[in-house]
Amino acid sequence: MSRIDAKFAELKAAGKKAFVSYIMAGDPDYETSLEIVKGLPGAGVDIIELGVPFTDPMADGPTIQLAGQRSLGAGMTLQRTLDMATEFRKGDDTTPIVLMGYYNPIYNRGVDKFLTDAKAAGIDGLIVVDLPPEEDEELCIPAQATGLNFIRLATPTTDDARLPKVLQNTSGFVYYVSITGITGAAAAEATDVGPEVARIKSQTDLPVIVGFGVRTPETSQAIASVADGVVVGSAIVSRIAAGDSPAEVLSFVKGLADGAHST
């Protein structure tokens, strides 16, 4: 059982929904980012999504794109992202970490080396947004053989014909993208999301977590009420971009987590 599986089992036993937070590794710099990441579990975060900065983040809106630019400008790399996870693990061996990013840095490192190093760093899962199911032999299958969950995204345009293919080799959880478009582009609506989550859950036993377009504790609560949990990214990254201190960022995160946990 992976840390992700164990976390969802724990939440289910407690009758709670999951709160997942996204942070761009190295934004605005390594030390500040590490301080925030270390504080996330205490702020109520159940699973940490750690963004790997990349020069061409096609699925991300301006907020995450700029975070990636700040991170890269501060010298962040895939290796330093793994170093951050290793450092986090020195004080926390239970909170799952999911790396979210794009295939190019992994390909450049070499799949086998990356998977070995990611596992050693305490990474639990991967979300690689530009590798479709047709490319599962490239990374998904080897990752799962290494013991890493490979988490797939489903979207409003993933119809009933496509959904089984998306779910085929997915593990850990399914990430449902609540809106059509890039991160941070629009607000999520529980009335739209609920039927889609139910449709996905009719075809898988995996938890379904909803992300994109969640910015407030109220929306976090509403989305968590119709799913197994909620992801917030751009709203948190915006606070970092505005120059909020780690304590201020974590206070904001706690409000979002409290919203998700209050359902």
Side-chain angles (χ1 to χ4, degrees), residues 189-250:
E189 296 289 345
T191 51
D192 298 329
V193 168
E196 289 298 296
V197 171
R199 180 170 70 92
I200 296 168
K201 288 181 75 67
S202 72
Q203 297 197 39
T204 181
D205 293 329
L206 291 171
V208 179
I209 308 300
V210 176
F212 286 47
V214 181
R215 301 191 184 96
T216 66
E218 293 75 20
T219 307
S220 180
Q221 179 181 16
I223 295 298
S225 72
V226 297
D228 295 305
V230 62
V231 184
V232 180
S234 293
I236 299 170
V237 172
S238 293
R239 296 300 180 109
I240 297 170
D244 283 14
S245 69
E248 289 170 327
V249 172
L250 293 170

Short mmCIF file of all heavy atoms in Angstrom, two decimals, residues 189-250:
data_model
loop_
_atom_site.label_atom_id
_atom_site.label_comp_id
_atom_site.label_asym_id
_atom_site.label_seq_id
_atom_site.Cartn_x
_atom_site.Cartn_y
_atom_site.Cartn_z
N GLU A 189 -17.72 24.92 -10.20
CA GLU A 189 -19.08 24.91 -9.68
C GLU A 189 -19.47 23.49 -9.30
O GLU A 189 -19.40 22.57 -10.13
CB GLU A 189 -20.06 25.45 -10.73
CG GLU A 189 -19.84 26.91 -11.12
CD GLU A 189 -20.24 27.87 -10.02
OE1 GLU A 189 -20.95 27.44 -9.09
OE2 GLU A 189 -19.84 29.05 -10.11
N ALA A 190 -19.88 23.30 -8.05
CA ALA A 190 -20.22 21.96 -7.58
C ALA A 190 -21.36 21.34 -8.37
O ALA A 190 -21.40 20.13 -8.59
CB ALA A 190 -20.57 22.01 -6.09
N THR A 191 -22.29 22.18 -8.84
CA THR A 191 -23.43 21.64 -9.59
C THR A 191 -22.99 21.04 -10.92
O THR A 191 -23.61 20.09 -11.41
CB THR A 191 -24.47 22.75 -9.85
OG1 THR A 191 -23.80 23.89 -10.42
CG2 THR A 191 -25.16 23.17 -8.57
N ASP A 192 -21.90 21.58 -11.49
CA ASP A 192 -21.36 21.01 -12.73
C ASP A 192 -20.49 19.80 -12.45
O ASP A 192 -20.46 18.83 -13.22
CB ASP A 192 -20.53 22.07 -13.47
CG ASP A 192 -21.35 23.27 -13.90
OD1 ASP A 192 -22.56 23.10 -14.17
OD2 ASP A 192 -20.79 24.39 -13.94
N VAL A 193 -19.75 19.86 -11.36
CA VAL A 193 -18.76 18.84 -11.05
C VAL A 193 -19.39 17.55 -10.55
O VAL A 193 -18.95 16.45 -10.91
CB VAL A 193 -17.76 19.39 -10.01
CG1 VAL A 193 -16.89 18.27 -9.45
CG2 VAL A 193 -16.90 20.49 -10.62
N GLY A 194 -20.43 17.65 -9.73
CA GLY A 194 -21.04 16.48 -9.10
C GLY A 194 -21.39 15.36 -10.06
O GLY A 194 -20.98 14.20 -9.85
N PRO A 195 -22.15 15.63 -11.13
CA PRO A 195 -22.50 14.56 -12.06
C PRO A 195 -21.29 13.94 -12.76
O PRO A 195 -21.28 12.73 -13.04
CB PRO A 195 -23.41 15.26 -13.08
CG PRO A 195 -23.94 16.46 -12.36
CD PRO A 195 -22.84 16.90 -11.45
N GLU A 196 -20.27 14.75 -13.03
CA GLU A 196 -19.07 14.23 -13.68
C GLU A 196 -18.29 13.30 -12.75
O GLU A 196 -17.78 12.25 -13.16
CB GLU A 196 -18.18 15.38 -14.15
CG GLU A 196 -18.75 16.16 -15.32
CD GLU A 196 -18.92 15.27 -16.54
OE1 GLU A 196 -17.90 14.78 -17.07
OE2 GLU A 196 -20.06 15.03 -16.96
N VAL A 197 -18.20 13.69 -11.48
CA VAL A 197 -17.53 12.83 -10.50
C VAL A 197 -18.28 11.50 -10.38
O VAL A 197 -17.66 10.43 -10.36
CB VAL A 197 -17.45 13.53 -9.13
CG1 VAL A 197 -16.97 12.56 -8.05
CG2 VAL A 197 -16.51 14.73 -9.20
N ALA A 198 -19.59 11.57 -10.33
CA ALA A 198 -20.40 10.34 -10.24
C ALA A 198 -20.18 9.45 -11.46
O ALA A 198 -20.11 8.22 -11.34
CB ALA A 198 -21.87 10.71 -10.09
N ARG A 199 -20.07 10.07 -12.63
CA ARG A 199 -19.84 9.30 -13.86
C ARG A 199 -18.50 8.57 -13.80
O ARG A 199 -18.40 7.39 -14.16
CB ARG A 199 -19.87 10.26 -15.06
CG ARG A 199 -19.66 9.58 -16.41
CD ARG A 199 -19.95 10.54 -17.55
NE ARG A 199 -18.97 11.60 -17.66
CZ ARG A 199 -17.87 11.55 -18.42
NH1 ARG A 199 -17.63 10.47 -19.15
NH2 ARG A 199 -17.03 12.56 -18.47
N ILE A 200 -17.46 9.26 -13.32
CA ILE A 200 -16.14 8.64 -13.21
C ILE A 200 -16.16 7.52 -12.17
O ILE A 200 -15.64 6.42 -12.39
CB ILE A 200 -15.07 9.69 -12.86
CG1 ILE A 200 -14.95 10.72 -14.01
CG2 ILE A 200 -13.71 9.03 -12.61
CD1 ILE A 200 -14.15 11.95 -13.65
N LYS A 201 -16.81 7.79 -11.03
CA LYS A 201 -16.82 6.80 -9.95
C LYS A 201 -17.61 5.55 -10.32
O LYS A 201 -17.41 4.49 -9.73
CB LYS A 201 -17.37 7.44 -8.68
CG LYS A 201 -16.40 8.43 -8.03
CD LYS A 201 -16.94 9.04 -6.76
CE LYS A 201 -16.90 8.06 -5.61
NZ LYS A 201 -15.51 7.72 -5.21
N SER A 202 -18.49 5.67 -11.31
CA SER A 202 -19.23 4.49 -11.76
C SER A 202 -18.33 3.52 -12.51
O SER A 202 -18.69 2.37 -12.74
CB SER A 202 -20.41 4.91 -12.66
OG SER A 202 -19.95 5.36 -13.92
N GLN A 203 -17.12 4.00 -12.90
CA GLN A 203 -16.21 3.16 -13.68
C GLN A 203 -14.90 2.85 -12.97
O GLN A 203 -14.02 2.20 -13.54
CB GLN A 203 -15.92 3.83 -15.03
CG GLN A 203 -17.15 4.00 -15.90
CD GLN A 203 -16.80 4.28 -17.35
OE1 GLN A 203 -15.85 3.71 -17.89
NE2 GLN A 203 -17.56 5.16 -17.99
N THR A 204 -14.74 3.32 -11.73
CA THR A 204 -13.50 3.05 -11.00
C THR A 204 -13.76 3.07 -9.50
O THR A 204 -14.67 3.76 -9.03
CB THR A 204 -12.41 4.09 -11.34
OG1 THR A 204 -11.21 3.75 -10.62
CG2 THR A 204 -12.82 5.50 -10.96
N ASP A 205 -12.95 2.32 -8.77
CA ASP A 205 -13.00 2.34 -7.31
C ASP A 205 -12.04 3.37 -6.73
O ASP A 205 -12.00 3.57 -5.51
CB ASP A 205 -12.65 0.96 -6.74
CG ASP A 205 -13.70 -0.09 -7.08
OD1 ASP A 205 -14.88 0.28 -7.19
OD2 ASP A 205 -13.33 -1.27 -7.23
N LEU A 206 -11.26 4.01 -7.58
CA LEU A 206 -10.29 4.99 -7.10
C LEU A 206 -10.99 6.25 -6.59
O LEU A 206 -12.04 6.64 -7.11
CB LEU A 206 -9.33 5.38 -8.23
CG LEU A 206 -8.35 4.32 -8.71
CD1 LEU A 206 -7.64 4.80 -9.96
CD2 LEU A 206 -7.33 3.99 -7.62
N PRO A 207 -10.40 6.94 -5.60
CA PRO A 207 -10.93 8.25 -5.21
C PRO A 207 -10.85 9.23 -6.37
O PRO A 207 -9.93 9.16 -7.19
CB PRO A 207 -10.00 8.69 -4.07
CG PRO A 207 -9.31 7.43 -3.63
CD PRO A 207 -9.22 6.55 -4.82
N VAL A 208 -11.82 10.13 -6.44
CA VAL A 208 -11.82 11.18 -7.47
C VAL A 208 -11.65 12.52 -6.77
O VAL A 208 -12.49 12.93 -5.95
CB VAL A 208 -13.13 11.16 -8.29
CG1 VAL A 208 -13.10 12.27 -9.34
CG2 VAL A 208 -13.32 9.80 -8.96
N ILE A 209 -10.57 13.20 -7.10
CA ILE A 209 -10.23 14.49 -6.50
C ILE A 209 -10.40 15.56 -7.58
O ILE A 209 -10.03 15.36 -8.73
CB ILE A 209 -8.77 14.48 -6.00
CG1 ILE A 209 -8.52 13.28 -5.11
CG2 ILE A 209 -8.44 15.77 -5.28
CD1 ILE A 209 -9.37 13.22 -3.88
N VAL A 210 -10.96 16.70 -7.19
CA VAL A 210 -11.28 17.75 -8.16
C VAL A 210 -10.37 18.96 -7.98
O VAL A 210 -10.18 19.45 -6.86
CB VAL A 210 -12.76 18.19 -8.01
CG1 VAL A 210 -13.07 19.35 -8.96
CG2 VAL A 210 -13.68 17.01 -8.30
N GLY A 211 -9.80 19.42 -9.08
CA GLY A 211 -8.95 20.60 -9.06
C GLY A 211 -9.27 21.55 -10.19
O GLY A 211 -10.11 21.26 -11.04
N PHE A 212 -8.61 22.69 -10.19
CA PHE A 212 -8.79 23.81 -11.13
C PHE A 212 -10.01 24.62 -10.68
O PHE A 212 -11.12 24.10 -10.56
CB PHE A 212 -8.99 23.38 -12.58
CG PHE A 212 -7.76 22.88 -13.31
CD1 PHE A 212 -6.91 21.96 -12.72
CD2 PHE A 212 -7.46 23.32 -14.59
CE1 PHE A 212 -5.79 21.49 -13.38
CE2 PHE A 212 -6.35 22.84 -15.28
CZ PHE A 212 -5.51 21.93 -14.67
N GLY A 213 -9.81 25.90 -10.45
CA GLY A 213 -10.93 26.81 -10.21
C GLY A 213 -11.43 26.86 -8.78
O GLY A 213 -12.53 27.35 -8.53
N VAL A 214 -10.65 26.37 -7.81
CA VAL A 214 -11.05 26.43 -6.40
C VAL A 214 -10.18 27.48 -5.71
O VAL A 214 -8.95 27.34 -5.65
CB VAL A 214 -10.90 25.07 -5.70
CG1 VAL A 214 -11.34 25.16 -4.25
CG2 VAL A 214 -11.69 24.00 -6.44
N ARG A 215 -10.81 28.53 -5.18
CA ARG A 215 -10.03 29.65 -4.64
C ARG A 215 -10.41 30.05 -3.22
O ARG A 215 -9.68 30.81 -2.59
CB ARG A 215 -10.23 30.89 -5.54
CG ARG A 215 -9.81 30.71 -6.98
CD ARG A 215 -9.79 32.04 -7.71
NE ARG A 215 -9.48 31.87 -9.11
CZ ARG A 215 -10.39 31.80 -10.08
NH1 ARG A 215 -11.67 31.88 -9.78
NH2 ARG A 215 -10.02 31.67 -11.33
N THR A 216 -11.55 29.57 -2.72
CA THR A 216 -12.03 30.01 -1.41
C THR A 216 -12.40 28.81 -0.54
O THR A 216 -12.67 27.72 -1.07
CB THR A 216 -13.28 30.90 -1.56
OG1 THR A 216 -14.36 30.09 -2.07
CG2 THR A 216 -13.02 32.08 -2.48
N PRO A 217 -12.43 29.00 0.78
CA PRO A 217 -12.88 27.92 1.65
C PRO A 217 -14.29 27.44 1.31
O PRO A 217 -14.58 26.24 1.41
CB PRO A 217 -12.82 28.54 3.05
CG PRO A 217 -11.76 29.59 2.95
CD PRO A 217 -11.90 30.15 1.56
N GLU A 218 -15.15 28.37 0.88
CA GLU A 218 -16.52 28.01 0.54
C GLU A 218 -16.57 27.10 -0.68
O GLU A 218 -17.29 26.10 -0.71
CB GLU A 218 -17.35 29.28 0.29
CG GLU A 218 -17.57 30.14 1.52
CD GLU A 218 -16.35 30.95 1.93
OE1 GLU A 218 -15.44 31.16 1.08
OE2 GLU A 218 -16.28 31.37 3.11
N THR A 219 -15.79 27.44 -1.70
CA THR A 219 -15.74 26.58 -2.89
C THR A 219 -15.07 25.25 -2.57
O THR A 219 -15.49 24.20 -3.05
CB THR A 219 -14.97 27.28 -4.03
OG1 THR A 219 -15.52 28.58 -4.26
CG2 THR A 219 -15.08 26.48 -5.32
N SER A 220 -14.04 25.30 -1.73
CA SER A 220 -13.38 24.06 -1.31
C SER A 220 -14.38 23.12 -0.64
O SER A 220 -14.43 21.92 -0.93
CB SER A 220 -12.24 24.41 -0.34
OG SER A 220 -11.56 23.25 0.10
N GLN A 221 -15.21 23.68 0.22
CA GLN A 221 -16.23 22.87 0.90
C GLN A 221 -17.25 22.33 -0.09
O GLN A 221 -17.62 21.15 -0.05
CB GLN A 221 -16.94 23.71 1.96
CG GLN A 221 -18.03 22.96 2.71
CD GLN A 221 -18.73 23.82 3.75
OE1 GLN A 221 -18.61 25.04 3.74
NE2 GLN A 221 -19.45 23.19 4.66
N ALA A 222 -17.70 23.19 -1.00
CA ALA A 222 -18.74 22.78 -1.96
C ALA A 222 -18.24 21.68 -2.88
O ALA A 222 -18.95 20.70 -3.14
CB ALA A 222 -19.19 23.99 -2.77
N ILE A 223 -17.01 21.81 -3.38
CA ILE A 223 -16.46 20.81 -4.29
C ILE A 223 -16.19 19.50 -3.54
O ILE A 223 -16.49 18.41 -4.03
CB ILE A 223 -15.18 21.32 -4.97
CG1 ILE A 223 -15.50 22.53 -5.87
CG2 ILE A 223 -14.51 20.22 -5.78
CD1 ILE A 223 -16.45 22.24 -7.01
N ALA A 224 -15.63 19.60 -2.32
CA ALA A 224 -15.36 18.39 -1.54
C ALA A 224 -16.64 17.63 -1.23
O ALA A 224 -16.63 16.40 -1.10
CB ALA A 224 -14.63 18.75 -0.25
N SER A 225 -17.76 18.34 -1.16
CA SER A 225 -19.03 17.69 -0.83
C SER A 225 -19.52 16.77 -1.93
O SER A 225 -20.34 15.88 -1.68
CB SER A 225 -20.10 18.74 -0.51
OG SER A 225 -20.53 19.41 -1.67
N VAL A 226 -19.03 16.97 -3.16
CA VAL A 226 -19.48 16.13 -4.28
C VAL A 226 -18.36 15.26 -4.84
O VAL A 226 -18.52 14.62 -5.88
CB VAL A 226 -20.08 17.00 -5.42
CG1 VAL A 226 -21.31 17.74 -4.93
CG2 VAL A 226 -19.05 17.97 -5.99
N ALA A 227 -17.20 15.24 -4.15
CA ALA A 227 -16.06 14.45 -4.62
C ALA A 227 -15.38 13.81 -3.40
O ALA A 227 -15.87 13.93 -2.28
CB ALA A 227 -15.08 15.34 -5.38
N ASP A 228 -14.27 13.13 -3.64
CA ASP A 228 -13.51 12.54 -2.54
C ASP A 228 -12.48 13.51 -1.98
O ASP A 228 -11.80 13.20 -1.00
CB ASP A 228 -12.81 11.27 -3.01
CG ASP A 228 -13.81 10.19 -3.40
OD1 ASP A 228 -14.67 9.84 -2.57
OD2 ASP A 228 -13.75 9.71 -4.55
N GLY A 229 -12.38 14.67 -2.60
CA GLY A 229 -11.45 15.67 -2.12
C GLY A 229 -11.27 16.77 -3.15
O GLY A 229 -11.88 16.75 -4.22
N VAL A 230 -10.44 17.75 -2.79
CA VAL A 230 -10.27 18.93 -3.63
C VAL A 230 -8.80 19.32 -3.67
O VAL A 230 -8.06 19.10 -2.72
CB VAL A 230 -11.14 20.09 -3.09
CG1 VAL A 230 -10.72 20.48 -1.67
CG2 VAL A 230 -11.11 21.30 -4.00
N VAL A 231 -8.39 19.86 -4.83
CA VAL A 231 -7.03 20.37 -5.02
C VAL A 231 -7.08 21.88 -5.19
O VAL A 231 -7.91 22.39 -5.94
CB VAL A 231 -6.37 19.77 -6.29
CG1 VAL A 231 -4.92 20.24 -6.41
CG2 VAL A 231 -6.45 18.27 -6.31
N VAL A 232 -6.19 22.59 -4.50
CA VAL A 232 -6.05 24.02 -4.73
C VAL A 232 -4.60 24.32 -5.08
O VAL A 232 -3.68 23.86 -4.38
CB VAL A 232 -6.47 24.86 -3.51
CG1 VAL A 232 -6.30 26.35 -3.80
CG2 VAL A 232 -7.92 24.57 -3.13
N GLY A 233 -4.40 25.06 -6.17
CA GLY A 233 -3.06 25.41 -6.60
C GLY A 233 -2.87 26.90 -6.83
O GLY A 233 -2.20 27.58 -6.07
N SER A 234 -3.51 27.43 -7.88
CA SER A 234 -3.27 28.81 -8.28
C SER A 234 -3.56 29.81 -7.17
O SER A 234 -2.84 30.81 -7.01
CB SER A 234 -4.11 29.16 -9.52
OG SER A 234 -3.69 28.42 -10.64
N ALA A 235 -4.61 29.57 -6.38
CA ALA A 235 -4.96 30.51 -5.32
C ALA A 235 -3.84 30.59 -4.27
O ALA A 235 -3.55 31.67 -3.74
CB ALA A 235 -6.27 30.10 -4.65
N ILE A 236 -3.20 29.46 -3.98
CA ILE A 236 -2.10 29.44 -3.02
C ILE A 236 -0.86 30.08 -3.63
O ILE A 236 -0.19 30.91 -3.00
CB ILE A 236 -1.79 27.99 -2.59
CG1 ILE A 236 -3.01 27.37 -1.91
CG2 ILE A 236 -0.57 27.93 -1.68
CD1 ILE A 236 -2.90 25.87 -1.67
N VAL A 237 -0.57 29.73 -4.87
CA VAL A 237 0.60 30.28 -5.56
C VAL A 237 0.48 31.79 -5.69
O VAL A 237 1.48 32.53 -5.61
CB VAL A 237 0.78 29.60 -6.93
CG1 VAL A 237 1.87 30.27 -7.75
CG2 VAL A 237 1.10 28.12 -6.75
N SER A 238 -0.75 32.30 -5.86
CA SER A 238 -0.97 33.75 -5.96
C SER A 238 -0.54 34.46 -4.68
O SER A 238 -0.03 35.58 -4.72
CB SER A 238 -2.45 34.05 -6.23
OG SER A 238 -2.83 33.59 -7.51
N ARG A 239 -0.77 33.82 -3.54
CA ARG A 239 -0.35 34.41 -2.26
C ARG A 239 1.17 34.49 -2.16
O ARG A 239 1.73 35.45 -1.63
CB ARG A 239 -0.91 33.60 -1.09
CG ARG A 239 -2.44 33.60 -0.99
CD ARG A 239 -2.96 35.02 -0.82
NE ARG A 239 -4.40 35.07 -0.73
CZ ARG A 239 -5.07 35.36 0.40
NH1 ARG A 239 -4.42 35.62 1.52
NH2 ARG A 239 -6.39 35.40 0.39
N ILE A 240 1.83 33.46 -2.66
CA ILE A 240 3.29 33.47 -2.68
C ILE A 240 3.80 34.58 -3.59
O ILE A 240 4.71 35.33 -3.25
CB ILE A 240 3.83 32.10 -3.12
CG1 ILE A 240 3.42 31.02 -2.10
CG2 ILE A 240 5.35 32.13 -3.29
CD1 ILE A 240 3.70 29.60 -2.55
N ALA A 241 3.16 34.70 -4.75
CA ALA A 241 3.55 35.73 -5.72
C ALA A 241 3.35 37.14 -5.15
O ALA A 241 4.11 38.06 -5.46
CB ALA A 241 2.74 35.58 -7.00
N ALA A 242 2.33 37.30 -4.29
CA ALA A 242 2.04 38.61 -3.71
C ALA A 242 3.00 38.97 -2.59
O ALA A 242 2.95 40.08 -2.06
CB ALA A 242 0.61 38.62 -3.18
N GLY A 243 3.89 38.03 -2.23
CA GLY A 243 4.88 38.31 -1.20
C GLY A 243 4.45 37.96 0.20
O GLY A 243 5.10 38.37 1.18
N ASP A 244 3.36 37.20 0.34
CA ASP A 244 2.94 36.76 1.67
C ASP A 244 4.06 35.94 2.32
O ASP A 244 4.79 35.20 1.64
CB ASP A 244 1.69 35.88 1.58
CG ASP A 244 0.42 36.69 1.36
OD1 ASP A 244 0.53 37.88 1.00
OD2 ASP A 244 -0.68 36.12 1.52
N SER A 245 4.18 36.07 3.62
CA SER A 245 5.16 35.27 4.36
C SER A 245 4.71 33.81 4.38
O SER A 245 3.52 33.52 4.17
CB SER A 245 5.28 35.79 5.78
OG SER A 245 4.08 35.51 6.50
N PRO A 246 5.63 32.88 4.65
CA PRO A 246 5.20 31.48 4.79
C PRO A 246 4.06 31.31 5.78
O PRO A 246 3.13 30.53 5.54
CB PRO A 246 6.48 30.78 5.24
CG PRO A 246 7.57 31.56 4.59
CD PRO A 246 7.11 32.98 4.67
N ALA A 247 4.10 32.04 6.91
CA ALA A 247 3.03 31.93 7.90
C ALA A 247 1.70 32.38 7.33
O ALA A 247 0.65 31.77 7.60
CB ALA A 247 3.39 32.75 9.14
N GLU A 248 1.71 33.45 6.54
CA GLU A 248 0.48 33.95 5.92
C GLU A 248 -0.05 32.98 4.88
O GLU A 248 -1.25 32.74 4.78
CB GLU A 248 0.74 35.33 5.30
CG GLU A 248 0.95 36.43 6.31
CD GLU A 248 1.45 37.72 5.70
OE1 GLU A 248 2.20 37.68 4.70
OE2 GLU A 248 1.09 38.80 6.22
N VAL A 249 0.86 32.40 4.09
CA VAL A 249 0.45 31.41 3.09
C VAL A 249 -0.18 30.21 3.77
O VAL A 249 -1.25 29.72 3.37
CB VAL A 249 1.66 30.96 2.23
CG1 VAL A 249 1.28 29.79 1.32
CG2 VAL A 249 2.20 32.11 1.40
N LEU A 250 0.44 29.73 4.83
CA LEU A 250 -0.06 28.55 5.53
C LEU A 250 -1.39 28.83 6.23
O LEU A 250 -2.24 27.95 6.33
CB LEU A 250 0.99 28.05 6.52
CG LEU A 250 2.26 27.49 5.86
CD1 LEU A 250 3.34 27.25 6.89
CD2 LEU A 250 1.97 26.21 5.09
#
